[in-house]
Amino acid sequence: MLTREMLETQGNFLFRWRGQMPLVFIPWLAFAVFRGEPIEAAYGETIGEAFATLAALCLIGGIALRILAVAFAPRGTSGRNTRQGQVAESLNTTGVYALCRNPLYLGNCMMYVGLAALSQDVLLTLVMALTLVLYYERIIMAEERFLEARFGAEYTDWAARVPAFFPRLTGWVRPAYAFSLRSVMRREYPGWLAAVLLATLIHLGQDQVEGEPLTEDMALWIFALLAVIGCITLDQLKKRTTVLNVAGR
């Protein structure tokens, strides 16, 4: 088998399980959390807080990028489909897709790296980043073959102008669809819940290592509880009503 074909085969396999890959890092993340805050311990509170702030901004930036991609996306694009394989009813080339061909994957990487960095384990953060590069490289390669076969010159012309992963700074094209908050709420709440809960557990775990009481961060507990309640509500609205449905989205 040619190397290209092997990478595409791996990409198609990983595409089906792309939501589960980060789970393999959970044991390492848990171990890192219960080491406390090594950067703060080594370099002081100011450096530790600055590192945590950068990690949080990376996480929030990833969430925001996914929102920008999903909020303007038409039906049949930018989906969470896994088991049924590649799906594309149309080619989305406007909005954030005019700057980067894979903004959802870039957003995922920012979220995962941000969560790893919150643990203040530099090695974990670097390994996570490298793994994600290799992981999404294969998925993107498989998707490119599918989209090229599906859309032909329309895809290749777009790919020639727009970088695959790291966004260009110019070339913004007004989205073809209006911003849809309901689409975002319907499609993104699982990721929001996972990010909020993991960030909360990381912070609380570090506090426990340092001997702080669980009641020290009541605001954080309340925020996490509200996130859970909100996501349960959105899940029920999605499954039992049409409130979050938007025509053509």
Side-chain angles (χ1 to χ4, degrees), residues 123-202:
L123 180 59
L124 169 61
T125 305
L126 293 175
V127 171
M128 172 72 81
L130 177 60
T131 301
L132 290 169
V133 168
L134 298 175
Y135 184 73
Y136 281 118
E137 177 187 45
R138 284 154 174 76
I139 293 177
I140 290 171
M141 184 176 293
E143 286 191 348
E144 286 182 343
R145 288 300 297 269
F146 167 78
L147 292 171
E148 184 179 10
R150 176 76 172 80
F151 298 104
E154 182 184 4
Y155 174 76
T156 55
D157 290 347
W158 173 56
R161 301 190 308 271
V162 179
F165 200 71
F166 295 106
R168 59 181 181 175
L169 300 179
T170 60
W172 173 265
V173 178
R174 184 177 179 179
Y177 287 77
F179 184 95
S180 175
L181 179 60
R182 285 188 291 166
S183 290
V184 174
M185 294 170 69
R186 186 181 75 248
R187 298 164 69 172
E188 289 297 291
Y189 68 86
W192 294 345
L193 178 60
V196 168
L197 292 183
L198 274 175
T200 301
L201 290 173
I202 289 170

Side-chain angles (χ1 to χ4, degrees), residues 3 112 215:
T3 301
Y112 298 147
T215 55

